[in-house]
Amino acid sequence: MQVSIACTDHNLKRGNGDHSKQSATSPNVVNQARAKFRTVAIIARSFGSFTPRHISLKESTGKHTGMKYRNLGKSGLRVSCLGLEQLMTIAYDSGVNLFDTAEVYAGGRWVIHRPVFLCNGLQMSGLAVTKVAETERGLSRKHIIEGLKGSLQRMQLEYVDVVFANRPDSNTPMEEIVRAMTYVINQGMAMYWGTSRWTAMEIMEAYSVARQFNLIPPVCEQAEYHLFQREKVEVQLPELYHKIGVGAMTWSPLACGIITGKYENGIPESSRASMKSYQWLKEKIISEDGRKQQAKLKELNHIAEKLGCTLPQLAVAWCLRNEGVSSVLLGTSNPEQLTENLGAIQVLPKMTSHVVSEIDHILGNRPYSKKDYRS
Amino acid sequence: MQVSIACTDHNLKRGNGDHSKQSATSPNVVNQARAKFRTVAIIARSFGSFTPRHISLKESTGKHTGMKYRNLGKSGLRVSCLGLEQLMTIAYDSGVNLFDTAEVYAGGRWVIHRPVFLCNGLQMSGLAVTKVAETERGLSRKHIIEGLKGSLQRMQLEYVDVVFANRPDSNTPMEEIVRAMTYVINQGMAMYWGTSRWTAMEIMEAYSVARQFNLIPPVCEQAEYHLFQREKVEVQLPELYHKIGVGAMTWSPLACGIITGKYENGIPESSRASMKSYQWLKEKIISEDGRKQQAKLKELNHIAEKLGCTLPQLAVAWCLRNEGVSSVLLGTSNPEQLTENLGAIQVLPKMTSHVVSEIDHILGNRPYSKKDYRS
Amino acid sequence: MQVSIACTDHNLKRGNGDHSKQSATSPNVVNQARAKFRTVAIIARSFGSFTPRHISLKESTGKHTGMKYRNLGKSGLRVSCLGLEQLMTIAYDSGVNLFDTAEVYAGGRWVIHRPVFLCNGLQMSGLAVTKVAETERGLSRKHIIEGLKGSLQRMQLEYVDVVFANRPDSNTPMEEIVRAMTYVINQGMAMYWGTSRWTAMEIMEAYSVARQFNLIPPVCEQAEYHLFQREKVEVQLPELYHKIGVGAMTWSPLACGIITGKYENGIPESSRASMKSYQWLKEKIISEDGRKQQAKLKELNHIAEKLGCTLPQLAVAWCLRNEGVSSVLLGTSNPEQLTENLGAIQVLPKMTSHVVSEIDHILGNRPYSKKDYRS
Amino acid sequence: MQVSIACTDHNLKRGNGDHSKQSATSPNVVNQARAKFRTVAIIARSFGSFTPRHISLKESTGKHTGMKYRNLGKSGLRVSCLGLEQLMTIAYDSGVNLFDTAEVYAGGRWVIHRPVFLCNGLQMSGLAVTKVAETERGLSRKHIIEGLKGSLQRMQLEYVDVVFANRPDSNTPMEEIVRAMTYVINQGMAMYWGTSRWTAMEIMEAYSVARQFNLIPPVCEQAEYHLFQREKVEVQLPELYHKIGVGAMTWSPLACGIITGKYENGIPESSRASMKSYQWLKEKIISEDGRKQQAKLKELNHIAEKLGCTLPQLAVAWCLRNEGVSSVLLGTSNPEQLTENLGAIQVLPKMTSHVVSEIDHILGNRPYSKKDYRS
C-alpha cells in the first residue's frame, strides 16, 4: 500500500527557514496550533483494479497509481476520494516523532508528507485546506482575513487550496463574508473557499450574494456523514450540487468512534466518550437511540465479516460509495487506525447495489428522495 | 477593574524595529503626529453581572470578562461598548511616561496597551482606527490614500480596522471617495471604512454609489452624541441602520466638558473654555442656552447622587443605554478622568426606563420619533 | 516671489539610494530619459491679494500662500493654476547644475524642487504626472503598463499622481486602454488617469467604456490652448466637463514661441523655428496666416504695454482667465523665461471683461458657443 | 538578413542573478523544463520592400526595419508576422552552445535573443508567451495559477505577454477558467490570455462568461494551420475575429514535417515519423490520404521552383498570405531549417492572387465560405 499525494509544491513559502525551524521545535507553538485550528490535508492512495460500473463524467483515474480523483463540487479542483482530517494537528502533536514514524512506515506501508516541517527538508505536497473562525469570533471580514493569515503563518504556507468558513455566523451579513472570502482568494491566500456545517439555505444565500455582487461563490460544504446521519448529504447537498455546483466533503465517517464498535458493551475507560468534555457523546451512546444503534452495528458487523473487512472499513466504504461525495475525511490520529481505515478502498468494489440495499434495510433510515449515484 | 483589549496582534507591522524606535523617541514625530491626526483605539473593560433586559440579537458577552460587545453597525465587527478617542494622541503626548503610568495602573486598576510603542516590546492588541482628511485637504483619492499610508507608517501598523472619512468634501465626487475607500480596503490597508460628521443624506449617497459601482459601502458614522445633542443619533442614524446597516459610534459624551459640571459657576481659569482657540465654547457656555443647560445639569446631578455616581458617569451611561450606539468614545486625555468615565459601566444597569424618563423630563429634548432600544 | 509646491512626499520611493544616485550622475540615463519621456510637475506660486469676482465653487485659496487651487476636472485633486511642463527634462538636462541654480534663485526669487535627485537629500514634493506612449508604440495594455513602470523606475517614484495616455491609438480597442489604466491605478502606480490630444468623441468613448465595465474614467484632457487655438478648450471641453467631469490642463500657451514676438521680423538664427526638425513651424510662421498672426501680436503688444506686462505674460494670463482650465502648463526650459511667465499671475487680476473683449476683437476668433467662465 | 526583436526588457525579473545562474547551468532544470512546458517567443525579421496591395488598417511597418506587424486579434498588442515556437525548448536543449551559435549567426544572418540566460548578460527582449495545462492536470484555478507561477519561475520572468490555456477542460467550469485567467492578469503575471486548440464554440463561451462577470476575455486562439488543414483558421476564426476580436496565431505550418517533402519516398530512418511516439504520424503518411498529399506536394513543388523558393518556404508564405493570421509560429528546432523557413518572408510578395488560386486548385480543399483577406 502506498500513499501518494497529488499536488504540487507551489504552496511552499520560500525563504523562511529560520521561522519554520522555530515552529517545528517550539512546543508552545505546537500546543497553541492544536488548540486553535484544525487543518485538513487531502491524501491519496493507490488501489487495485477497481472500476466503478457507472463512471461519472467528473471522475478520472491517475495514470500510474490507478488513484481515483473526483472534482471538488463542480470546481476544476480534483481531490482524492479519501482525505485526512486533522493532519496538521497530528503533525503538531507528534512533533519530530511523527516524521520518524512516517519514515518507518514509508519502508513498509505508507508515508504522510507533512507540509509544515520544512526544517527536515521535506517539501509540501498535497492539497492544503484550513478553516477560519473555529472559535467564537465569528466570520467578520477582520476575523476571516486575520484568521487565515494566522494559519498561513503558522503552517508556513503561501496559500491554502481551500479555506473553509466554519459554522455560519448570523451576526455577520452574508455580503461581508463573501466579500472577505473573495478578498483572500484575490490576494492569493487561497484558491477556493467552502463552508462547514452550513445549512443548504445558508449556502444558497452565499451563492446568490456572490452572483449579486460578482464575487466568488463557494465550491464545497463540509458535512457530517455516516451510517446514522444521511439526510443532509444524501438529499440536500445533491440538490445544491446540481443547482450551483457546490460539492460535499464529509467528516466523521465513524460517528465520533461510535461505529468502531468499541461502545458495544458500554463505555471503555480510555475511550473518548469517557472524557469529561465528551459527556454529550456518552449520553448519546447510553440513550435508547444509542442502544438501538449498537444493535444495528452488530448486524452490520456480520456484513463486514462476509465481505472480509472490519466494521470501520465497511462504514468508510459505505460513505465512499456515494459518488456525490468528493472526499471522505478520516479523523483518526492513530497510525494503526488510519491504516485500517485506508483499507476501505479495497472494500469499495464490494459495495454492490445488493450489499448497499442490505445495509439500508438494517439501518432503516434511507432518506425518501435519496439519489444513489452508483445504482 | 480590568481593561481587556479584544483583538489580535495581526495588525502589527513586522521588522520595523528601527523605525518605530525612532518614532517613539523623536519629539518632532510626536508633535507632528499629534497635530496632524487623531486616532481612536477601542478598548474593552470587564464589568459585573449586568444583563440587559432586552437582549439584542446582535449583542454578545465575552466568556471570561463578561464584557459586552456590539456589532459595528450591521458589519460582523464586534466592538466594545466603550472606546477611547485620541488614545494615540495621549500616547504621543505622554511619551514614555504614559507607559509607566499605565503599568502602575495595571497593578491596581487598568492598562491601556499602546499599539505604537513597539520599542518597549509591547504588541498591538485592540482595534485600530484612524481618520483621513482631518485637515483642509479634502477627500480626493490622492489624500485618502496618502493620508492613510502616512497614518499607518507613523503608527507602524500594517492596517487599521476602520478608516474614517472625516467631514464630507463637497469638492470631491462621491464616486471618487467610495472608490478610494474600496481601494484601501482591497489593498489590505483597512478592514472597513466609515464616515465622520456626515449627514444622513451624504451617507445614503455613499451607500448608493457603492451599490451602483459594486464598491464597498461604509459600516459606521461617527457622530456627536450627548444629553444636549440627540436628534442625529436618536432619529436619523437608526433609520440608516435599519435601511443600510450603517451603525453609530459616538463622541463627545460630555459635550466638550460642559457636562462635567465644572462650568456651573462660570469659566475656570485652567479649563478648555478659557483657551483662546475655544472661544466658541466659552460663548456657548455663557449664552442664555448655556445658562439653561447648567440649570438642567444641576437637576441631573441630583439623579446622579441618587444613583451613587458622578454626573459624567451618568452622562456616559445615558449614552450607553442607547443600544443603537456601537461604541461611545471617551475623549479624555487624563488618566483620572478616564478611570472615572469607565465607571459608567457600573451605572448602566441602573439606567431603568424610569430613570431614563426622568432624565428626558429634565432635558425636555426627546426627539419626536425617538426609538428607545431598551424599553 | 516664492514658488511653493503643494503636495506631500508620499510618492517618494524608499530605500533606493544607490539606484537614484546612479541615475543622477549617469549622463546616459539623463539623455535616454530626455529622449524618451516628458514629465510634468505642477508647481504653485503665491500671488498677492487677487480675488476673482466670480468665485467658482470648485476654487479655493491656500491659507498661507494665497495660492489659487482648482480641481482637476471634477476630481477631488487640487492643482495649482500654473504648472510646469518638462520639469524632469529640465532637471535631466541641467544635471547637478540646475540644483545649484535653483538654490541661487531660492535666495532671491524661486526654487524648483526636483523630485529625482534624491542624492542631494531633497525629497519629492509636488504633483508628479507622466505620459505613456509618447512614441509610436501605441496604447496596448503591454505598452501602457511597461511604459508607466519604466517612467516610475527612471524617476524613482512609487507612483505618479496622473498618468496621461498620449494621443489616441485607433489600433487598440478602447476597452483595453481603459482596463489598463484602471489596472495601473488599482496597482497603486497612479492616482488618476487622463488623456492628451484626444478628441471629445474619443474621451466620451473612454468614459462610456469605463461606465460599461465599471472601470475608472479619465479625469482630465491635456490640450493645446493659446490665443490662436481656442475651439477645443473653449467649446468642446466645457461640454465634456459638465457632462462627465473631465477637466482641461492646457499646454503651449505661447504657441511654440510664436507669441513671444521673436518672429516679428522673420526667423532669428538661434530660434526653434530655425532648427531642421521644426521646419513645419518655420513654414507656419512665414505663411500668410503666420504673417497675419504677427500683425495681431503687434496690436496685443500695445495692450500688454498698457497693462504694464510683457506679451508672453499677457498670453499666459489670458489662458488663466478661463476658469474651466485647471492648470496652464508652461513649457519653457529657460529659468529667465520661466520667471517671466510666472509673472502672468500678477497680470491675471487685470484681465477684466473689458480687456478680454478688446483681445477678442483683435483676434477675431472667439468661438461661437464660447462660455466665458469669468464674465 | 537581420532578426530584430520588438519588445522591451520590462519582463525581466530583477535581482535573481544567483537563481538564474543555477537554471542556466543545471542540466536537470533544463531537461525538466523541456519536458514540462513549451514556450513561444515571437521574433521579427526585417524584409525588403514588400508592400501588400491591400493594406489592412491594423497593419503597420517598423520605421527602421521595414518589419511588418499585425495586431494580435483586436488587442493592441503588435506581433511580428513570424514567430518561433519552442524557442525556450531550443534554448534549454542547446544550453550555452546555442548562444555561441546565435552569435556566429549574428555576424552573418540572424540572432535569437534568449530571454532565460541572464548569466550571459543578455537581457530579455521579445514577447514571452507560455501555456498552462500542457499536461493532464486540466484548467482548474489551482493549476492555471500554479502552472503559470512555475513557468515564470523557471523562465526567470516577472510576467509573460500572453498566457495560453492549452486544450479545453470539460471538467472545469468556464467561469473558473476565465476567473483564473483574469486573476493572473490582474496580479501582473500576464498581459493577455489566449486559448489553444479550443473550438469556436468554447471560445465564444469563454467570451460570454467574461462579459457576464466583467472578466477579461481572451485575445487569441492558437490553431493548427497548413495547406492540408484550413477550415478552422479560414472559416471559423475569421467569424470569431469579427464578432469578439479574437485573433489567430497558427502553428505547424509544415504539418509536422509532412510538407517538407521528406516523406515523398516513404519514412526515412531518422525522421520524426519513424519514432515510436509518432506512430500516428507514420500511419497518416502511409494511408491513402497520405499518399494523395504527397502527390499534391509534388505539384506544389513545381510552383515553388517557379517562384525560386523551397516547398517549406512556399508553405509558410502561403500561411502568411492570410492576413487574419496574426503570427505563424515556426516549430523547427534546427537553426538551418529555421533560417530556411524565415526566407518565406521574401516569398510573400510573390503570393499573388494568381499563385494562390493555382495552389487552391491543386489542393482542392478551399473552404466554402472562405474569406481571402488579400484578394
Side-chain angles (χ1 to χ4, degrees), chain A residues 28-100:
Chain A
N28 280 343
V29 172
V30 168
N31 291 333
Q32 194 184 347
R34 185 187 189 183
K36 287 192 183 162
F37 74 103
R38 294 184 308 162
T39 301
V40 176
I42 312 303
I43 64 162
R45 186 170 167 283
S46 69
F47 52 101
S49 59
F50 170 68
T51 312
R53 281 172 304 165
H54 301 270
I55 293 173
S56 160
L57 283 173
K58 297 287 180 191
E59 214 166 86
S60 67
T61 307
K63 270 188 181 169
H64 304 296
T65 60
M67 180 62 203
K68 196 172 152 194
Y69 293 93
R70 298 173 180 177
N71 282 56
L72 186 56
K74 284 188 183 165
S75 85
L77 190 67
R78 299 265 169 74
V79 295
S80 59
C81 66
L82 269 187
L84 184 59
E85 200 177 21
Q86 294 181 301
L87 176 64
M88 301 305 288
T89 307
I90 300 175
Y92 276 120
D93 282 8
S94 311
V96 284
N97 293 330
L98 176 69
F99 184 71
D100 293 338

Side-chain angles (χ1 to χ4, degrees), chain B residues 226-276:
Chain B
H226 50 71
L227 292 162
F228 302 120
Q229 179 123 333
R230 307 174 60 173
E231 173 78 15
K232 185 176 177 184
V233 170
E234 297 189 4
V235 180
Q236 295 170 29
L237 293 187
E239 206 184 335
L240 273 187
Y241 173 78
H242 289 295
K243 280 190 178 146
I244 62 175
V246 164
M249 193 179 269
T250 70
W251 47 274
S252 204
L254 304 181
C256 297
I258 290 177
I259 299 176
T260 56
K262 66 179 158 203
Y263 299 117
E264 201 182 340
N265 306 306
I267 314 287
E269 249 183 42
S270 65
S271 69
R272 226 189 299 179
S274 70
M275 289 162 71
K276 210 170 178 183

Side-chain angles (χ1 to χ4, degrees), chain B residues 103-123:
Chain B
E103 275 195 324
V104 169
Y105 271 83
R109 300 278 286 178
W110 53 275
V111 174
I112 298 173
H113 291 278
R114 290 164 306 156
V116 186
F117 293 83
L118 303 180
C119 53
N120 290 312
L122 255 189
Q123 292 210 336

Side-chain angles (χ1 to χ4, degrees), chain B residues 47-117:
Chain B
F47 52 101
S49 59
F50 170 68
T51 312
R53 282 172 304 165
H54 301 270
I55 293 174
S56 160
L57 283 173
K58 297 287 179 191
E59 213 164 87
S60 67
T61 306
K63 270 187 180 171
H64 304 295
T65 60
M67 180 61 203
K68 195 172 153 194
Y69 292 93
R70 299 173 180 177
N71 282 55
L72 186 56
K74 285 188 183 164
S75 86
L77 189 67
R78 300 263 168 75
V79 295
S80 57
C81 67
L82 270 187
L84 185 59
E85 200 177 22
Q86 294 182 300
L87 176 64
M88 302 304 289
T89 306
I90 300 175
Y92 276 120
D93 281 7
S94 311
V96 284
N97 293 331
L98 175 70
F99 184 71
D100 294 338
T101 311
E103 275 195 324
V104 169
Y105 271 83
R109 300 278 286 178
W110 53 275
V111 174
I112 298 173
H113 291 278
R114 290 164 306 156
V116 186
F117 293 83

Side-chain angles (χ1 to χ4, degrees), chain B residues 345-357:
Chain B
I345 296 171
Q346 272 80 29
V347 182
L348 185 51
K350 303 174 184 168
M351 296 297 289
T352 60
S353 60
H354 177 75
V355 170
V356 168
S357 294

Side-chain angles (χ1 to χ4, degrees), chain C residues 27-283:
Chain C
N28 280 342
V29 172
V30 168
N31 291 334
Q32 194 183 347
R34 186 189 188 183
K36 287 192 182 163
F37 73 102
R38 294 184 308 162
T39 301
V40 176
I42 312 301
I43 62 161
R45 186 170 168 284
S46 68
F47 50 102
S49 60
F50 168 68
T51 312
R53 281 171 303 165
H54 301 270
I55 292 173
S56 160
L57 283 173
K58 297 287 179 191
E59 212 165 88
S60 67
T61 307
K63 269 187 180 167
H64 305 296
T65 60
M67 180 60 202
K68 195 172 152 193
Y69 292 93
R70 299 173 179 176
N71 282 55
L72 186 56
K74 285 188 183 165
S75 85
L77 189 67
R78 301 264 169 75
V79 294
S80 58
C81 67
L82 269 187
L84 184 60
E85 200 176 22
Q86 293 181 302
L87 175 65
M88 302 304 289
T89 306
I90 301 176
Y92 276 120
D93 282 7
S94 312
V96 283
N97 292 331
L98 174 69
F99 184 72
D100 294 338
T101 311
E103 274 195 324
V104 169
Y105 271 81
R109 300 277 287 177
W110 54 275
V111 173
I112 297 172
H113 292 279
R114 289 164 305 155
V116 186
F117 292 82
L118 302 181
C119 53
N120 290 312
L122 254 190
Q123 293 211 336
M124 170 66 184
S125 53
L127 295 183
V129 314
T130 195
K131 279 183 199 165
V132 290
E134 291 276 342
T135 64
E136 306 292 308
R137 298 181 55 201
L139 291 168
S140 70
R141 181 182 183 91
K142 180 177 174 67
H143 294 155
I144 287 175
I145 295 172
E146 289 181 350
L148 180 52
K149 273 189 186 166
S151 288
L152 293 176
Q153 210 180 336
R154 279 190 299 270
M155 298 191 287
Q156 286 296 298
L157 292 176
E158 199 184 328
Y159 60 89
V160 288
D161 292 291
V162 191
V163 55
F164 287 94
N166 197 35
R167 295 168 194 265
D169 173 10
S170 62
N171 271 354
T172 302
M174 191 58 82
E175 180 184 343
E176 182 173 338
I177 297 171
V178 184
R179 276 200 193 277
M181 286 299 185
T182 301
Y183 172 83
V184 296
I185 290 172
N186 282 337
Q187 289 285 315
M189 291 189 266
M191 290 284 177
Y192 304 87
W193 76 280
T195 57
S196 182
R197 304 177 184 224
W198 289 31
T199 66
M201 193 53 79
E202 287 161 342
I203 297 167
M204 271 307 297
E205 193 194 346
Y207 179 82
S208 61
V209 162
R211 287 301 174 226
Q212 182 179 357
F213 299 115
N214 196 13
L215 303 170
I216 301 175
V219 295
C220 180
E221 157 73 7
Q222 276 192 6
E224 194 177 353
Y225 182 48
H226 51 71
L227 292 162
F228 302 121
Q229 180 122 335
R230 306 174 60 173
E231 173 78 14
K232 186 176 177 184
V233 170
E234 297 190 4
V235 179
Q236 295 170 30
L237 294 187
E239 205 183 336
L240 274 187
Y241 173 79
H242 289 296
K243 280 190 178 145
I244 62 175
V246 164
M249 194 180 269
T250 70
W251 46 273
S252 202
L254 304 181
C256 296
I258 290 177
I259 300 178
T260 56
K262 66 180 156 201
Y263 299 117
E264 201 182 338
N265 305 306
I267 314 287
E269 246 183 45
S270 65
S271 70
R272 224 188 301 179
S274 69
M275 290 161 72
K276 208 169 179 182
S277 60
Y278 281 90
Q279 179 66 18
W280 60 270
L281 184 59
K282 185 178 177 180
E283 282 165 15

